[in-house]
Amino acid sequence: MRTTIAGTLLVTVVVSIVLVGEPHHSNGAPRRPGFQVDNGRLYDADDNEFVMRGVGHSHATYPERTARMLSDVKAMGANTVRVELSTGAVAKRDDAADVAHVIALCRRNRLICVLVVHDTTGWGFRREAIPQARAVDYWISIRKALIGQEKYAIIDVANEPYVLDNVQRWPGDTMDSIRRLRRAGIRHTLMVDAPDWGQDLSFTMRDHAAGVFAADPERNTVFSIHMYGAFFRATNVHDYLGRYIRARLPVAVTEFAYTHHDGDVDEDAIMSEAQAHRIGYLAWSWSGNSGDVSNLDMVTQFNAKSLTWWGQRAFNGPNGIRRTSREATVYAP
């Protein structure tokens, strides 16, 4: 059968459209309008790799401090802030309007906000703590404040939600939480905290990370590790993060300090390893820690002009925030 040149070109164009379709990342998931994980790395909405550098802040406890805090940390070089919220179980509920305001403040300051439910901290040990499933209920209930903000916000499902005897529930419950959020239309990059007060002492998250990642239909989940006394030497840090790097699974250190109740922390190794392997880190925390851990404040009384030793180290020391942070390209003019 004779085919004209025009007909051949038309067939070629049609075939190309069918074959290309929606652009895909190498993990098989289509590109999304917001942050996206690909091959163990986090990319922003402009498809540029993004490495988190910032700190934590308890908006649930100090909502009146949030606006100034975000402005101050931006001025000091941070590109991300992890913002703790409450479902109403432990502190005043941060409703959809409040969460929308927090995201707007982050955008005004050209920051990425990692939003996290704090009320799950120590579930199974702390009487007032709620299970991860209730954190999912909360995210779904305020989804109108979240949908459309995928370029600027990442959702950390629940802070340190499994400790002691309930650790074995982490894999199944976490997969269920991810699926529920996706069914509700939440397409943001998600984060899931490790069990064992966030430190994964049992290696439950490490050993089940591949299965949990595969359970996300968006393939858009980052694993969140908190590094305190369990990471008291460089080999611990190197070995733990190395498992994710070799498996090409996304990991971020979303809390760490230089010491804690459970002992000394090798903050130098954490920051060095994170910088060497382009892993995000969010140091704990800006200000307002309770008396027994007040030494973890980076500034005194929320005053950016009064850096503590820890604040100086985190912002201005080797591999610190000021030297290594790069603004998300979604904020480029």
Side-chain angles (χ1 to χ4, degrees):
M1 182 178 67
R2 191 176 61 154
T3 304
T4 65
I5 294 176
T8 302
L9 289 174
L10 178 61
V11 171
T12 302
V13 170
V14 171
V15 170
S16 297
I17 292 173
V18 171
L19 289 177
V20 174
E22 186 177 8
H24 281 66
H25 283 287
S26 62
N27 62 17
R31 290 181 182 170
R32 302 306 183 196
F35 281 95
Q36 176 68 52
V37 168
D38 182 38
N39 204 28
R41 301 292 177 186
L42 181 65
Y43 292 84
D44 67 17
D46 289 339
D47 212 26
N48 292 307
E49 186 174 348
F50 181 71
V51 181
M52 291 179 288
R53 290 286 182 266
V55 302
H57 167 65
S58 180
H59 175 77
T61 309
Y62 301 105
E64 74 284 359
R65 301 283 193 176
T66 300
R68 180 59 182 271
M69 179 267 175
L70 293 172
S71 174
D72 286 342
V73 299
K74 176 62 179 182
M76 294 173 66
N79 64 21
T80 306
V81 174
R82 186 170 181 259
V83 181
E84 292 188 338
L85 305 173
S86 178
T87 67
V90 175
K92 180 180 179 292
R93 178 181 172 87
D94 295 301
D95 61 18
D98 191 36
V99 173
H101 180 60
V102 169
I103 296 173
L105 288 173
C106 287
R107 293 181 62 176
R108 185 182 307 166
N109 288 286
R110 302 165 71 93
L111 290 163
I112 301 303
C113 51
V114 174
L115 305 172
V116 59
V117 166
H118 180 66
D119 302 347
T120 52
T121 307
W123 178 64
F125 178 79
R126 294 172 63 234
R127 181 182 302 177
E128 68 272 26
I130 62 172
Q132 183 170 250
R134 285 183 57 189
V136 174
D137 294 339
Y138 169 76
W139 294 121
I140 293 172
S141 76
I142 65 161
R143 63 178 177 261
K144 67 180 182 180
L146 304 173
I147 294 174
Q149 302 301 319
E150 295 87 353
K151 290 183 180 181
Y152 313 103
I154 291 169
I155 298 172
D156 188 340
V157 180
N159 186 68
E160 300 181 1
Y162 292 86
V163 299
L164 305 176
D165 294 337
N166 59 18
V167 170
Q168 70 278 2
R169 295 183 54 175
W170 184 90
D173 286 1
T174 301
M175 287 188 279
D176 182 63
S177 293
I178 292 168
R179 292 180 183 121
R180 286 183 59 205
L181 289 167
R182 297 309 188 202
R183 287 197 297 268
I186 295 173
R187 303 177 71 191
H188 299 64
T189 292
L190 301 177
M191 275 187 178
V192 290
D193 275 17
D196 307 308
W197 298 101
Q199 295 199 78
D200 205 20
L201 300 172
S202 60
F203 299 131
T204 302
M205 183 172 80
R206 185 197 71 181
D207 294 345
H208 291 86
V212 171
F213 186 82
D216 179 0
E218 301 277 336
R219 302 295 193 273
N220 199 14
T221 297
V222 175
F223 297 94
S224 162
I225 183 68
H226 295 177
M227 290 190 165
Y228 292 114
F231 297 91
F232 63 96
R233 59 187 176 189
T235 53
N236 299 52
V237 177
H238 178 80
D239 291 347
Y240 189 85
L241 295 178
R243 295 291 189 107
Y244 294 85
I245 294 166
R246 290 190 293 276
R248 296 184 178 180
L249 291 169
V251 65
V253 183
T254 60
E255 283 190 28
F256 74 102
Y258 69 100
T259 187
H260 211 287
H261 293 312
D262 54 352
D264 186 46
V265 184
D266 194 339
E267 75 282 359
D268 292 340
I270 293 168
M271 298 169 80
S272 173
E273 198 79 15
Q275 182 62 15
H277 296 287
R278 309 195 310 279
I279 292 171
Y281 70 66
L282 303 173
W284 185 263
S285 73
W286 180 244
S287 196
N289 286 287
S290 57
D292 58 339
V293 287
S294 59
N295 60 311
L296 301 187
D297 285 359
M298 295 177 170
V299 299
T300 304
Q301 298 292 315
F302 290 91
N303 181 1
K305 296 180 180 179
S306 181
L307 280 171
T308 64
W309 180 91
W310 174 223
Q312 287 282 5
R313 172 66 191 91
F315 279 96
N316 301 321
N319 300 302
I321 294 167
R322 194 183 296 275
R323 300 181 187 183
T324 65
S325 176
R326 300 291 181 269
E327 186 177 85
T329 60
V330 293
Y331 291 121

